[in-house]
């Protein structure tokens, strides 16, 4: 047994070995979100760190971000999920340097033999042929337009976009084809493309969703260490709205006993800056994310660890995660119902429109350089 002391309470709890204690970790973890780097679930072997009594004379190399090109075969990903508003999406990058510990896309890194932990935020891939693929897919004779969601897994405006500009190239093609797009980001780098977005917005072809997890900068620094400051995201909402670009604020993820008290404050600030839609997502912990988030709490908020995980499981039918359509985003049970009711009442009180803004598909055209014969 051990005593765990935090700023607000002291509890006594059992002390299983933490994930970070059994995972080989590189040095220089400062500024990263994950506290561990467990192996991929598809690997036939695993590694475990342990103290053998010998001094560690050779310090490991500092933890740096690596970016490699990925030659994708297709760019538009299709889905048939009934509980999301789009059936196709684009993610120009694999992995995300923002390092949000809660990111539901972390387990996807296992598909390339890498860890959903620190690897996800330090070993990144950019789809170098994104623009070529997109133009080819949109030009196909059997293509039928519908809103493309840009950035559903990893942020299209994460720091490496400054150099690689894949998101910008994707938007330029969508604008040329007059194709509707919905963007999801937590970065004010989206303002770089306000020229394109404002032009598309005038034709009803774009909507931007900005994720605001918390208004507390200290909590944001721990949860999402390389994502922009909350005030920068709110500034982006205001400037996009002033430019005539429709903006949704997403309070996501809502983490029980950590940021759930901020729901109304986030929606209030965003509405005052011009947001016209608001939604939320309850914390999701698929696959390896359960252990990663639990270990993060053990490091940053040990006194709340059990309580938070208990509430998460109460909202997921007793499990860490339930992937059932219709409830996977918002959960079930008393706690999930409470959050839904608070969101609904806040939207009503603040005057958020009831209906979602629909984007146009009737303007789509495949551009051609050939002169018309008529």
């Amino acid at each position: 047994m051990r005593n765990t002391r935090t700023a607000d309470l002291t509890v006594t709890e059992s002390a299983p070995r933490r994930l970070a204690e059994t995972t080989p970790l590189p040095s220089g973890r400062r500024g990263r979100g994950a506290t561990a780097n467990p192996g991929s679930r598809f690997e036939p072997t695993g590694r475990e760190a342990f103290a053998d009594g010998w001094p560690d004379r050779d310090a490991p190399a500092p933890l740096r971000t690596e970016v490699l090109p990925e030659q994708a075969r297709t760019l538009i990903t299709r889905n048939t999920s009934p509980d999301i508003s789009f059936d196709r999406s684009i993610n120009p990058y694999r992995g995300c340097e923002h390092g949000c510990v809660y990111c539901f896309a972390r387990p996807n890194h296992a598909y390339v033999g890498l860890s959903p932990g620190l690897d996800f935020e330090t070993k990144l891939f950019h789809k170098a042929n994104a623009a070529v693929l997109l133009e080819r897919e949109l030009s196909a004779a059997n293509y039928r337009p519908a809103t493309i969601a840009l950035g559903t897994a990893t942020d299209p405006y994460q720091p490496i976009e400054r150099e690689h500009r894949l998101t910008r190239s994707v938007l330029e093609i969508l604008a040329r084809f007059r194709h509707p797009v919905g963007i999801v980001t937590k970065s004010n780098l989206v303002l770089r493309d306000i020229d394109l977005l404002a032009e598309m917005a005038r034709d009803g072809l774009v909507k931007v969703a900005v994720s605001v997890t918390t208004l507390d900068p200290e909590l944001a620094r721990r949860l999402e260490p390389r994502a922009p400051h909350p005030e920068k995201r709110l500034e982006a909402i205001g400037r996009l709205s002033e430019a005539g670009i429709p903006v949704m604020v997403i309070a996501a993820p809502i983490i029980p006993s950590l940021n759930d008290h901020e729901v109304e404050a986030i929606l209030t600030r965003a509405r005052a800056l011009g947001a016209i839609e608001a939604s939320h997502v309850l914390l999701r912990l698929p696959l390896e994310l359960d252990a990663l988030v639990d270990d993060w709490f053990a490091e940053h908020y040990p006194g709340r660890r059990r309580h938070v995980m208990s509430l998460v499981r109460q909202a997921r039918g007793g499990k860490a995660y339930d992937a059932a359509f219709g409830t996977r985003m918002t959960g079930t049970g008393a706690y999930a119902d409470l959050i839904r009711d608070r969101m609904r009442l806040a939207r009503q009180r603040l005057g958020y429109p009831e209906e979602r803004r629909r984007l146009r598909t009737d303007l789509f055209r495949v551009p051609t350089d050939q002169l018309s014969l008529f």
Side-chain angles (χ1 to χ4, degrees):
M1 305 287 284
R2 70 178 178 188
N3 286 330
T4 302
R5 183 173 296 278
T6 66
D8 51 355
L9 74 161
T10 300
V11 299
T12 300
E13 60 180 13
S14 59
R17 294 185 72 190
R18 283 186 50 201
L19 186 61
E21 296 171 346
T22 61
T23 303
L25 285 175
S27 65
R29 189 169 59 86
R30 181 177 175 82
R32 302 295 181 175
T35 55
N37 204 42
S40 161
R41 63 185 178 276
F42 299 120
E43 296 300 303
T45 60
R47 297 179 298 156
E48 180 172 325
F50 64 93
D52 59 3
W54 292 98
D56 186 8
R57 294 177 179 173
D58 298 322
L63 188 58
R64 301 186 186 279
T65 301
E66 303 174 34
V67 186
L68 296 173
E70 174 183 322
Q71 290 297 315
R73 289 179 293 182
T74 60
L75 189 67
I76 301 175
T77 300
R78 308 282 179 154
N79 77 83
T80 57
S81 173
D83 58 353
I84 53 179
S85 60
F86 56 88
D87 67 354
R88 64 201 71 183
S89 60
I90 292 175
N91 289 286
Y93 303 102
R94 185 190 298 273
C96 187
E97 196 178 4
H98 281 161
C100 306
V101 68
Y102 52 75
C103 181
F104 71 90
R106 282 183 177 271
N108 292 343
H109 239 44
Y111 292 120
V112 289
L114 294 173
S115 172
L118 290 166
D119 283 352
F120 176 79
E121 53 197 278
T122 61
K123 299 183 187 302
L124 313 178
F125 299 85
H126 67 96
K127 298 176 182 178
N129 56 342
V132 173
L133 287 176
L134 180 58
E135 187 152 7
R136 179 189 307 162
E137 291 172 35
L138 295 183
S139 299
N142 62 347
Y143 182 80
R144 297 294 177 268
T147 297
I148 287 177
L150 180 57
T152 55
T154 57
D155 201 311
Y157 287 103
Q158 61 177 287
I160 59 174
E161 165 63 15
R162 290 186 175 89
E163 174 185 354
H164 295 282
R165 299 177 65 88
L166 293 182
T167 297
R168 174 77 185 195
S169 67
V170 165
L171 287 175
E172 288 172 342
I173 291 172
L174 292 174
R176 190 152 52 87
F177 279 74
R178 299 176 69 79
H179 193 293
V181 59
I183 301 170
V184 182
T185 184
K186 54 168 53 72
S187 176
N188 61 326
L189 182 57
V190 66
L191 296 175
R192 180 202 63 188
D193 296 334
I194 203 166
D195 58 330
L196 271 177
L197 299 177
E199 181 181 346
M200 296 179 74
R202 284 192 286 271
D203 291 327
L205 294 173
V206 69
K207 179 166 63 175
V208 178
V210 178
S211 172
V212 181
T213 313
T214 176
L215 301 177
D216 179 354
E218 176 60 25
L219 177 56
R221 184 184 64 81
R222 296 184 182 193
L223 274 174
E224 37 198 29
R226 298 200 175 194
H229 190 287
E231 291 298 327
K232 290 291 187 181
R233 301 181 218 179
L234 292 168
E235 178 190 352
I237 290 175
R239 289 183 57 187
L240 290 168
S241 299
E242 289 173 0
I245 301 161
V247 182
M248 168 193 286
V249 61
I250 309 178
I254 292 177
I255 305 173
S257 189
L258 193 65
N259 68 344
D260 52 359
H261 63 286
E262 298 188 75
V263 167
E264 290 82 1
I266 291 171
L267 266 61
T268 299
R269 291 287 306 277
R271 183 61 174 156
L273 290 166
I276 61 169
E277 296 179 17
S279 67
H280 78 285
V281 178
L282 192 62
L283 179 65
R284 303 165 60 189
L285 299 177
L287 301 169
E288 295 96 337
L289 202 55
D290 181 15
L292 283 166
V293 169
D294 182 71
D295 198 74
W296 181 90
F297 267 99
E299 178 169 305
H300 293 284
Y301 298 96
R304 305 188 194 188
R305 179 184 185 184
R306 287 187 171 184
H307 181 55
V308 170
M309 293 303 169
S310 173
L311 288 173
V312 169
R313 284 168 170 76
Q314 288 178 40
R316 300 294 184 186
K319 300 178 291 185
Y321 181 57
D322 182 1
F325 289 143
T327 59
R328 58 180 176 150
M329 302 293 186
T330 56
T332 59
Y335 178 81
D337 289 344
L338 174 63
I339 297 298
R340 268 193 295 269
D341 288 344
R342 288 173 56 192
M343 285 290 299
R344 175 178 54 80
L345 292 171
R347 283 195 298 263
Q348 290 177 354
R349 176 174 58 83
L350 295 168
Y352 280 93
E354 290 292 329
E355 293 187 8
R356 294 279 181 92
R357 179 73 62 92
R358 297 181 65 86
L359 301 180
R360 297 181 65 177
T361 59
D362 59 305
L363 300 178
F364 175 78
R365 57 178 172 77
V366 177
T368 176
D369 295 329
Q370 295 178 351
L371 295 175
S372 173
L373 297 177
F374 305 97

